[in-house]
Amino acid sequence: MKKAVTAAAVVLAAVLAALLIYDGVINNEATADFFAMNTYASVKIKGADSEECAALAEEITQNLDTDTLSRTAENSAVSLLNKNGGGALGEKMQGYVSALLDVCEKSGGAFDFTLGALSDLWNFGGTPSIPDKAALADALLHSGYEKLTLSENTLDYTDKAAVIDFGAAGKGIALDEIREAFAEKRVKEAVVSVGGSVLLMGEKQFTVGIRNPSGNAGSYIAKLHIPAGCVSTSGSYEQQFEENGEKYHHILNPETGYPASSGLLSVTIISDSGILSDALSTACFVLGHEKGAVLAKEYGCTAIFITENNEVFVENGSKDIIEITDGAYTLI
Amino acid sequence: MKIIRKGDIALIAVILLAAACFVLWSNSKSEAPQAVITVDGEVVETVDLQSVGEKRIIEPVSGVTIVAENGEIRFEKADCEDKLCIASGSLSRHGDTAVCLPAKTAITVTGSDVDAVVY
């Protein structure tokens, strides 16, 4: 009798111990950071496969860039399309292109991923400067999503000089690809940032800071309390340069070819989709607060607009998700 | 008659204690802000910001100078054109990050009250 009780107690203790250790395993944390897509990326993962997934995230992002989206890698899918004025698209590429064409149309051209020639003139990735007016007019002439036709898996450029560029959506696409890969692994929670576009995976309520548009990189003016999803911000503070006393930022208005000025400092989009959060943040920045809010609603996304008057608006979502942490900004 | 003897209790306690230690060890994280400097994803230096008083100069990679001083850390010099890393200023808070893209160098202050900052 006594022995049986002792044995039972030992077994119970062993089971508890095993549970504790199992908990340690499923909550195993891994972090990594890397440079890809000309930007900085960081990964925080909790789960049994966390270490494997940290490496996987880097591999996916690098491969997506060099094999598919990069305009500098000679044999990437995008480089070949631009060189040949179109071509057959792989299944994934077809998905990206049709999603982006939809944003182009619904935004009335405020978002446009055919501005490659224009971006090259401004050269925001390198040493930016104001382009020559004639060159800018010429680049604009050969830009515009309406110069692309997609029928099934074939993309055709009606103007062969058009240059597609995934700069405003590539980070979001990376997040979607990473999420798809993580879904196959034992991942309990993941926070992935590719150049400031963020993927949140897991059951918990996450806290995401919105960058201070006029302060240091890394500092934030508000916290978002949101469940799993994707968050992207477009702001005039990124890749800014000054010439003749005027400031120029990298979000170009496809209509004018110059940096968009719509009274906003930044737009943040919350969406289930990485590609949409990324593309819509750019579209809404160009459109401005009122028209941007309509577009975000059309896609069922929550949008946070920060105006040049330091006013913060939450559109198509509850104000309860946001907590302003910087007294210089006011939630309207 | 005692059902469980002292020895049994001790055995059970040892098993549970060992398991608890394992979990604590595997989840152990320092609460004090640590600045982690990485070059191309590899950690090259970790600085305990609370214990940094006098100026400490770190050159994680040629052409980049990082200074840790009075509980803060910042990029002091960089051979790049845009100097965005220097413009990021001093970092001290949990979650603060500054990055020099051309030199693939990043400083992150670990431990954070936010999961990420969107920019």
Side-chain angles (χ1 to χ4, degrees), chain A residues 2 5-6 9-10 13 16-17 20-21 33 35 38-40 44 127 191 195-196 198 204 206-209 211 216-217 220 223 231-233 237, chain B residues 2-5 8 11-12 15-16 19-20 22-23 29 38 41 81 87-88 93 96-97 99 101 104-106 108 113-119:
Chain A
K2 195 175 79 182
V5 172
T6 309
V10 170
L16 278 173
L20 276 170
I21 291 170
D33 62 351
F35 290 82
N38 298 320
T39 189
Y40 172 69
K44 270 185 284 185
T127 313
V191 177
V198 177
K204 76 165 200 171
F206 292 89
T207 306
V208 175
R211 192 200 138 150
N216 291 340
Y220 52 86
K223 287 182 193 171
V231 197
S232 278
T233 296
Y237 46 79
Chain B
K2 278 188 186 169
I3 293 180
I4 300 177
R5 281 183 301 182
D8 302 331
L11 177 64
I12 292 162
I15 293 173
L16 282 176
F22 175 81
V23 171
K29 265 195 290 179
T38 60
E81 293 204 5
S88 296
R93 254 190 348 173
D96 282 354
T97 302
V99 179
L101 276 183
K104 297 193 169 191
T105 304
T108 310
D113 50 354
V114 293
D115 292 301
V117 175
V118 65
Y119 53 89

Side-chain angles (χ1 to χ4, degrees), chain B residues 24-36:
Chain B
L24 281 178
W25 168 77
S26 64
N27 287 341
S28 65
K29 265 195 290 179
S30 172
E31 287 299 313
Q34 305 269 328
V36 181

